[in-house]
Amino acid sequence: MYNCNKSPIQNILIVCLNLLALTDVFAQDKSKIFEDYKKDRNLLPDFSYVGYHQGEKEIPNVTNYKIFDVTTFGAKPNDDISDKIAIQKAIDAANKNGSGIVFFPKGRFLVNEESDATNSIISKKGNIIFRGSGSGLNGTELYMKNTLPPADPSKMWTVPPLFLFTSGGADKKIGFITKAAAVGDCTIELNTIEGLESGDWIVLKLLDNNKDLIVAELKTQQVEPTWSYLVNKGIDVKVYYQIKSIKNNKLILKAPVSYTIDPKYKWEVSKFANSEEIGIEDVAFVGNWKEKFVHHRSWQDDSGYTMLRINRTTNSWMKNCRFTDCSVAAIVLQSANISVLNCKIDGNSGHEAITSNGSTNVLIANCVDEASQWHSFGSSHGSMNTVILNCTYPSTTCFESHASQPRNTLLDGVEGGLMKNRGGGALENMPNHMQGLVLWNYKQTNEPVKDFEFWPSSKVYEYWKIPKPVIVGFTSKGTTFRMDQLGQSESIGKAVEPASLYLAQLKLRLDKLPKWIKELE
């Protein structure tokens, strides 16, 4: 058993809470796959390090920062005058201070009127709390009347977000990895560690089209010639880790590596430019998307009302937020150890819900998509270790798996549709997902499908390819699978114990569940 943090955290549940023992009315069987995993940790991806501070710390209720009330900068709720400039001034003042709570009282604030400049509202520093007075009908509403313009109208995904939380600066190349590291190892060895200190964040990068690398991931599945990125550029991995300590040229990481590192391929290491400890809380982000959504019809459909992006951010969170009438609710981009808790998407149906895009160790938990976004909660573009926990969406949509090589995505206690036409991704960036997709106690609510395929013939359907997913405890109205297309499978038709793979792995690593789990009740 590997463990990067030898001491379990001390804060544990005060009340008698053990989500691992939750059962349906009917008794559930213990998962043999999980029992085997306890003995051999290579049988499943380890999702136990996802979320804020590797799942070990409670999200803080920050009260000791200076408060920057947007109304003192000129914002006024419930009038007909834009508040966009005032909100940016409040954020700038908090950034300049080095920390702060950007606070919104109750009411509707106008954030993109005809008179406004067509730019995002941006925060580029850490230790910033963006806090409203509740995301319900009588709370704080940030109303986006008009879209922002796309960078390129022919590229339907290029509308910038209205709110962007990010970091200044750029990554700095350090060197390359000189020694092999297996999945689960917490130590990597570099040719140089000059410029790095304990506590820094790094990004490990691999881009190589060596055929052995591709075969190792896809195994028996065949590469299509139309997948030009995989064929020409190859396996693309970018993962983000924090340095726990440094010894000689060795970096001891706070979380284990999740992809086999072979130094014969060029693994580069850069110091990651990031912001930390950003919190987005108790705010309703409301767009003005009122058209009937048509996938890829226009940039307005696909990204016109993109509300929020968390970018180059680590050990941060978003909780208790609502997204209404939007094209895209929120994207966690090139970030690590982010927790998204208790959020809702409602109103008119749009393009995407909440997605981990090119990020590492992201937790999306207790979120609901009532709008039936075309792509609901999911992962894309090289994300590694994404957990979708206890989330729900309608039977009319499905999880997102948006190609460009996401890996290790866990759909854990998720309820909603399962269909092959909602993954996403262009042909040149296929397949939809690489190794490590796990459906654990997934409850499918749309009509049953006989012999559901995760790797259909391209003559039948080109836009749905996922190699050897793990399916455990799947329940439905009678769906069956092409079993030869699955990796491990168990208990198709009946839920299993543990009810949550993520929580079971977290408890296994820390010995006890941490206190913050209570928030998920």
Side-chain angles (χ1 to χ4, degrees), residues 147 150 152-159 289 291-305 327 351:
T147 65
D152 182 346
S154 68
K155 297 177 180 178
M156 300 178 189
W157 63 90
T158 61
V159 175
W289 173 243
E291 301 294 324
K292 180 176 174 59
F293 175 80
V294 178
H295 193 225
H296 294 340
R297 174 176 61 183
S298 68
W299 62 264
Q300 290 93 340
D301 288 84
D302 281 12
S303 62
Y305 289 92
S327 307
H351 192 200

Side-chain angles (χ1 to χ4, degrees), residues 78-141:
N78 305 320
D79 63 4
D80 296 324
I81 301 173
S82 174
D83 303 297
K84 187 173 184 177
I85 293 175
I87 293 169
Q88 185 66 69
K89 286 181 177 179
I91 292 172
D92 291 345
N95 282 178
K96 185 177 180 180
N97 186 63
S99 65
I101 299 170
V102 179
F103 177 72
F104 294 83
K106 294 180 178 181
R108 171 181 271 203
F109 295 84
L110 306 181
V111 292
N112 211 47
E113 298 292 294
E114 286 85 354
S115 60
D116 285 322
T118 56
N119 57 274
S120 302
I121 298 171
I122 302 176
S123 176
K124 291 186 177 181
K125 299 290 185 179
N127 301 299
I128 298 295
I129 309 301
F130 195 75
R131 180 178 290 162
S133 298
S135 61
L137 295 179
N138 296 316
T140 298
E141 181 179 293

Side-chain angles (χ1 to χ4, degrees), residues 293-356:
F293 175 80
V294 178
H295 193 225
H296 294 340
R297 174 176 61 183
S298 68
W299 62 264
Q300 290 93 340
D301 288 84
D302 281 12
S303 62
Y305 289 92
T306 297
M307 306 307 296
L308 175 68
R309 184 179 298 161
I310 299 169
N311 185 29
R312 290 188 167 275
T313 298
T314 57
N315 284 334
S316 297
W317 68 91
M318 178 170 69
K319 66 177 184 177
N320 306 329
C321 290
R322 170 169 58 92
F323 299 87
T324 300
D325 294 339
C326 61
S327 307
V328 179
I331 295 175
V332 180
L333 176 67
Q334 291 181 310
S335 296
N337 292 101
I338 308 295
S339 288
V340 178
L341 308 178
N342 304 323
C343 292
K344 179 168 73 170
I345 300 99
D346 63 7
N348 192 28
S349 177
H351 192 200
E352 294 180 78
I354 300 172
T355 303
S356 173

Side-chain angles (χ1 to χ4, degrees), residues 368-383:
V368 57
D369 171 13
E370 295 179 355
S372 188
Q373 300 292 83
W374 186 263
H375 310 292
S376 200
F377 310 110
S379 60
S380 68
H381 290 79
S383 281

Side-chain angles (χ1 to χ4, degrees), residues 437-511:
L437 179 71
V438 180
L439 275 63
W440 192 276
N441 282 342
Y442 192 105
K443 183 178 180 180
Q444 181 196 12
T445 56
N446 58 314
E447 290 305 303
V449 179
K450 182 180 179 181
D451 295 335
F452 183 92
E453 294 191 87
F454 281 94
W455 199 279
S457 165
S458 293
K459 294 179 181 179
V460 176
Y461 195 70
E462 293 182 293
Y463 293 92
W464 180 249
K465 296 285 194 299
I466 298 177
K468 301 296 183 180
V470 175
I471 312 289
V472 176
F474 183 92
T475 58
S476 67
K477 299 176 183 178
T479 288
T480 58
F481 295 97
R482 277 279 305 273
M483 301 304 290
D484 61 305
Q485 295 181 359
L486 303 186
Q488 300 179 78
S489 63
E490 178 184 20
S491 193
I492 306 299
K494 186 178 181 181
V496 299
E497 292 183 8
S500 164
L501 176 61
Y502 165 64
L503 293 177
Q505 289 182 328
L506 186 63
K507 183 178 180 181
L508 195 62
R509 178 167 69 87
L510 300 178
D511 293 330

